[in-house]
Amino acid sequence: MHNKTITELAKDLRAGEYSSVELTQTYLDRIKQHQNLNCFITVAEEQALINAKIADEQLAKGATNLLTGIPIAQKDIFCTQGIKTSCGSKMLDNFTAPYDATVIEKFNTSGAVMLGKLNMDEFAMGSSNETSFYGAVKNPWDINTVPGGSSGGSAAAVAARLSPAVTGTDTGGSIRQPASLCGITGLKPTYGRVSRYGMIAFASSLDQGGPMARSAEDAAILLQTMAGFDTKDSTSVDKAVPDYSAGLTNSLKGLKIGIPKEFFSEELNTDVAAVIETAIDEYKKLGAEIKQVSLPNMKLAIPAYYVIASAECSANLSRYDGVRFGYRCDQPDDLNDLYIRSRGEAFGSEVKRRILMGTYALSAGYYDAYYIKAQKVRRLISEDFSKALSDVDVLMGPVAPSPAFGIGEKTDDPIEMYLADMYTIAINLAGLPAMSIPAGFVDNKPVGLQIIGNYFTEDHLLNIAHQYQQVSDWHKQTPKGFE
Amino acid sequence: MSLTTDEVKKIAYLARLGIDEKDITAYASDLSNMLDLMTQMGETNTDNVQPMAHPMDQMQRLRPDVATETNQREHFQSIAPQVESGLYLVPKVLD
């Protein structure tokens, strides 16, 4: 049953082929069997089986929501009442949220069964899942390589069939890059589409939650539950949620695809480039027209992003003060010592680096030179996208410059790690929706194709992804040992 | 652009962030490399460009000034490191 789609599982549950309790137990067993991947920070076994039993009762009464009784796992950035939420940090190792995030509440209402909380880079800062306090996650395609990050536990869990689908969050590529490196389907929605309430903040003007699944069809079902206006999130956008599954089968005849020339820079691995070009050719066969476009300011996305994200993170993470919740140092001498040691002992080095960077960029004398300058560059980048998307329907290119790299390979050089985000972060600066879908392999490692759309066109992106998945089977490949 | 170890110590203090003495040189070097990357932005003319703080450029939403949350002090304090009589405890601030 672990190779079935959500639609198939929902049908089987209703036909009485197996119960939600049996389905949940199957996944719990797989999670235990593949513990070495380190995908989960917390497995909520007891609660999952209780909820599966409730779901079975709802199904017997004719529950209509497709997710009722379907096991799901959540990135450990979403607050869950009664179950530990660590955000991958020692700071929150002892933290059990007193409330549920809106996304969690929505999944609970749908009757989905939460298997547990997924490993991630500490406070979502990282592109390899190596900054987690709970240790690195291994990529099921090659356990010596990283799964990507920050939603690395999420992506690896779907690839290894430890959960039919999961959630992730994307501040600079944290859904798309791990989706690409693990060969799964990930969607970062338009900024404001999915509520951030109860989603632990990293960089608030960039953070966005979204679904990660095996196919676009499954991702559409998850997004249907996750999306929507929320009065508890001040930047949530009050806009009707379309039926994300309704347009999946639409034809792509006449679709205009723009290929930004900056996506095929010299940093791009030539084998990855070949995979992307083959995927684009496939779209031609489906009736799409291809046009070259340009995003002239794209090279500035990395510097602008690392100023803005660091500045926002230094402000957001000032809440961890050792007073109200989270880690507190032993025997503080005075209040300053309490702050300094609690934060110093509980944050990892990547988080510290970014807090320092952000504090510097926001400090007197540097604010205009770094922070305001980055915000101006952000507008230029956003305008580049608006211009490109006025000529074409979507943009396509790679997600990451290379397939999964080795564990430990880039940990000594933070800058090198940052540069690997070059194709994803500009999209967060603009706030656009984008997907990563499996498009092939290089050295037996998966490679994702990135599809970028205009604001609030998630339904169209899912349609474009689904049509490709009707004529390709990259998304159906399973890593050896996880069949 | 390069940061000295003293500057790193100052920033760390501003952020109330403890860092080990032995790591300061490495932080100074990493931050200097990050700043080098960021100075690339200086080559682009941004005169007359409005800073963009938020992707939607939307106004902050207003709502009626009505309390919607109930008081859950005990619930919230149940996860605090140290509380007494409904108060969060910290080391003495005034002698």
Side-chain angles (χ1 to χ4, degrees):
Chain A
M1 31 183 126
H2 62 267
N3 277 316
K4 294 195 172 187
T5 67
I6 292 177
T7 311
E8 288 166 346
L9 293 172
K11 208 171 137 203
D12 288 355
L13 286 174
R14 281 165 182 80
E17 297 281 332
Y18 39 81
S19 65
S20 172
V21 169
E22 286 167 311
L23 181 62
T24 302
Q25 191 60 59
T26 301
Y27 279 105
L28 289 169
D29 292 345
R30 284 185 69 80
I31 292 167
K32 216 170 276 173
Q33 189 191 343
H34 298 294
Q35 272 181 48
N36 66 317
L37 293 177
N38 202 21
C39 291
F40 281 79
I41 291 174
T42 305
V43 180
E45 182 162 4
E46 206 177 313
Q47 197 59 47
L49 290 169
I50 292 170
N51 289 337
K53 199 157 175 276
I54 295 170
D56 280 329
E57 287 159 17
Q58 290 172 337
L59 286 163
K61 286 185 206 147
T64 54
N65 192 307
L66 270 181
L67 286 177
T68 306
I70 306 288
I72 296 287
Q74 301 285 354
K75 184 173 181 181
D76 206 19
I77 198 168
F78 290 102
C79 286
T80 45
Q81 188 162 7
I83 292 166
K84 176 168 122 173
T85 301
S86 74
C87 219
S89 181
K90 180 180 177 184
M91 181 59 87
L92 294 177
D93 184 45
N94 64 0
F95 177 66
T96 301
Y99 68 100
D100 278 327
T102 296
V103 163
I104 299 293
E105 209 175 272
K106 282 171 170 253
F107 275 112
N108 287 345
T109 307
S110 76
V113 175
M114 188 180 83
L115 295 166
K117 307 291 293 288
L118 295 157
N119 204 344
M120 55 181 285
D121 278 300
E122 183 178 9
F123 285 105
M125 296 173 202
S127 314
S128 66
N129 218 114
E130 292 168 293
T131 73
S132 169
F133 173 61
Y134 302 91
V137 172
K138 295 177 174 123
N139 189 325
W141 289 97
D142 175 352
I143 58 164
N144 297 312
T145 64
V146 303
S150 67
S151 312
S154 300
V158 173
R161 313 297 188 246
L162 307 187
S163 180
V166 301
T167 56
T169 61
D170 192 315
T171 303
S174 287
I175 286 177
R176 291 160 286 154
Q177 185 254 18
S180 174
L181 270 47
C182 289
I184 67 156
T185 302
L187 167 61
K188 172 217 155 333
T190 307
Y191 181 83
R193 179 76 289 187
V194 170
S195 170
R196 292 187 297 110
Y197 180 74
M199 190 179 107
I200 295 175
F202 158 16
S204 302
S205 79
L206 304 163
D207 297 343
Q208 184 60 205
M212 301 172 78
R214 300 225 311 276
S215 64
E217 188 190 335
D218 284 355
I221 296 168
L222 255 71
L223 184 60
Q224 201 69 49
T225 290
M226 296 174 79
F229 178 58
D230 181 12
T231 52
K232 290 174 180 167
D233 169 1
S234 67
T235 59
S236 170
V237 176
D238 191 359
K239 197 169 163 58
V241 176
D243 182 340
Y244 291 116
S245 303
L248 291 178
T249 53
N250 290 349
S251 158
L252 300 187
K253 217 166 163 39
L255 176 77
K256 284 188 198 147
I257 300 172
I259 310 296
K261 66 170 193 249
E262 292 78 8
F263 273 51
F264 293 84
S265 53
E266 60 184 25
E267 295 88 350
L268 182 64
N269 170 310
T270 50
D271 295 331
V272 172
V275 166
I276 301 303
E277 278 155 17
T278 308
I280 292 167
D281 282 342
E282 198 62 50
Y283 274 103
K284 273 192 218 163
K285 289 185 206 154
L286 290 168
E289 295 164 27
I290 311 296
K291 197 179 163 185
Q292 297 294 319
V293 296
S294 175
L295 301 166
N297 292 294
M298 211 175 100
K299 66 175 190 309
L300 298 176
I302 289 182
Y305 173 87
Y306 278 96
V307 171
I308 292 169
S310 302
E312 293 186 16
C313 106
S314 74
N316 272 326
L317 269 61
S318 65
R319 75 191 60 182
Y320 303 104
D321 58 3
V323 176
R324 291 153 303 147
F325 55 88
Y327 180 85
R328 175 181 232 173
C329 67
D330 272 340
Q331 310 269 319
D333 297 336
D334 55 27
L335 192 58
N336 251 335
D337 188 47
L338 167 69
Y339 295 149
I340 290 170
R341 277 206 290 126
S342 297
R343 292 161 63 76
E345 290 168 17
F347 287 138
S349 60
E350 181 59 28
V351 171
K352 286 184 182 176
R353 205 156 21 237
R354 299 208 198 185
I355 291 176
L356 292 171
M357 187 64 241
T359 305
Y360 181 75
L362 291 176
S363 63
Y366 301 102
Y367 183 83
D368 285 344
Y370 292 103
Y371 188 59
I372 296 296
K373 181 76 185 182
Q375 287 195 329
K376 289 181 172 186
V377 169
R378 181 178 188 175
R379 186 169 302 280
L380 294 179
I381 290 167
S382 177
E383 285 170 355
D384 282 354
F385 277 106
S386 299
K387 200 165 159 239
L389 286 167
S390 65
D391 276 351
V392 295
D393 299 312
V394 289
L395 305 174
M396 284 189 188
V399 175
S402 69
F405 46 89
I407 292 176
E409 196 181 311
K410 294 190 184 180
T411 40
D412 291 341
D413 187 355
I415 301 285
E416 200 194 332
M417 192 82 92
Y418 298 167
L419 292 176
D421 298 340
M422 67 178 95
Y423 303 127
T424 50
I425 58 179
I427 286 89
N428 297 76
L429 291 171
L432 293 165
M435 288 188 81
S436 171
I437 59 169
F441 288 83
V442 168
D443 300 333
N444 300 316
K445 295 180 189 112
V447 171
L449 168 74
Q450 185 167 214
I451 315 171
I452 304 153
N454 223 324
Y455 298 103
F456 298 102
T457 58
E458 288 81 2
D459 49 349
H460 198 200
L461 292 183
L462 287 161
N463 164 224
I464 293 165
H466 181 70
Q467 287 306 304
Y468 180 79
Q469 293 181 339
Q470 297 309 293
V471 295
S472 66
D473 65 355
W474 303 117
H475 65 295
K476 290 184 179 161
Q477 309 295 317
T478 313
K480 238 188 217 133
F482 299 92
E483 298 88 349
Chain B
M1 173 111 197
S2 75
L3 283 183
T4 64
T5 52
D6 279 347
E7 283 171 307
V8 173
K9 281 185 197 168
K10 191 183 150 206
I11 304 164
Y13 180 73
L14 288 173
R16 300 295 186 273
L17 185 64
I19 49 177
D20 281 345
E21 196 68 36
K22 64 173 171 48
D23 296 333
I24 293 180
T25 321
Y27 280 118
S29 149
D30 288 343
L31 292 175
S32 301
N33 289 338
M34 286 169 84
L35 289 171
D36 281 343
L37 191 69
M38 285 157 191
T39 49
Q40 288 174 14
M41 293 190 299
E43 295 158 19
T44 300
N45 185 331
T46 51
D47 297 347
N48 306 317
V49 177
Q50 280 297 312
M52 178 175 163
H54 185 274
M56 294 297 149
D57 278 337
Q58 63 184 10
M59 299 290 287
Q60 188 72 48
R61 209 168 48 239
L62 299 175
R63 61 170 174 82
D65 186 16
V66 183
T68 52
E69 291 289 326
T70 51
N71 187 359
Q72 303 184 64
R73 179 196 281 193
E74 280 174 26
H75 181 49
F76 291 151
Q77 288 199 333
S78 66
I79 52 168
Q82 220 184 344
V83 288
E84 198 180 291
S85 323
L87 303 170
Y88 292 96
L89 291 193
V90 294
K92 209 154 66 171
V93 178
L94 294 173
D95 282 321

